[in-house]
């Protein structure tokens, strides 16, 4: 049965996402992606002309999924402070998972420190979007300095993601949740 172009694209991206996240982008060649997808070279290269294009699509897909999930979780709360804390509750759960291998954006930035690589640019854009979203949530929660709180929460988020990938993820995810909760409580007046 023939797949549509969109079905092929989804399949290739799903396979690449699994491989890139578990093994690293640089460690996975296009031949491995093609073999795992069980399609021909032309099918893969028609959807993603270069590995760089596939890497950027992987990062963008992970970033979009992160935001969809976090915004959905935050949206379950009416208290603006609870919206911020909810992000770190999800982080704590994610870091404790057995398949957790770090933040895809931080991992990508480590693999591609070159400032103009498309995957690097996508990772940086994602982190900037998180900071901006945190700032908006912090302002809604009444933080005296929303920019400062947003930056501090981003440091906690990234620190937890990086540390949990190396050490005990469950412990560091919970520590990040506690630290974020204290930062939010100190920066945002109670209602």
């Amino acid at each position: 049965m023939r797949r549509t172009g969109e079905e092929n694209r989804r399949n290739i991206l799903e396979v690449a996402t699994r491989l890139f996240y578990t093994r690293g982008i640089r460690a996975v060649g296009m031949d491995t992606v093609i073999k795992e997808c069980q399609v021909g070279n032309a099918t893969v290269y028609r959807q993603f002309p270069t590995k760089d294009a596939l890497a950027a699509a992987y990062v963008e897909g992970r970033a979009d999924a992160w935001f969809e999930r976090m915004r959905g979780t935050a949206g379950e709360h009416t208290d603006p402070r609870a919206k911020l804390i909810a992000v770190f509750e999800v982080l704590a759960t994610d870091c404790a998972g057995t398949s957790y291998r770090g933040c895809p954006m931080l991992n990508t930035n480590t693999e591609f420190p070159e400032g103009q690589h498309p995957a690097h640019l996508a990772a940086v854009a994602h982190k900037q979007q998180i900071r901006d979203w945190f700032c908006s949530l912090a302002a809604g929660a009444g933080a005296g300095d929303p920019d400062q709180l947003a930056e501090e929460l981003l440091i906690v988020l990234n620190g937890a993601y990086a540390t949990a990938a190396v050490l005990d993820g469950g412990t560091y995810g919970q520590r990040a949740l506690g630290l974020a909760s204290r930062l939010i409580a100190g920066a945002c007046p109670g209602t």
Side-chain angles (χ1 to χ4, degrees), residues 3 10 20 25 45 64 75 86 92 109-110 112 114 122 136 163 169 171-172 181 187:
R3 293 180 180 163
R10 265 196 315 271
F20 289 168
I25 298 170
Y45 286 106
D64 291 347
N109 189 56
T110 300
F112 297 97
E114 303 88 16
S136 174
T163 306
T171 297
Y172 286 93
S181 297

Side-chain angles (χ1 to χ4, degrees), residues 15 29-42 44-45:
V15 168
M30 288 299 277
D31 55 334
T32 303
V33 173
I34 291 165
K35 181 179 177 188
E36 293 273 332
C37 288
Q38 299 178 346
V39 296
N41 291 6
V44 171
Y45 286 106

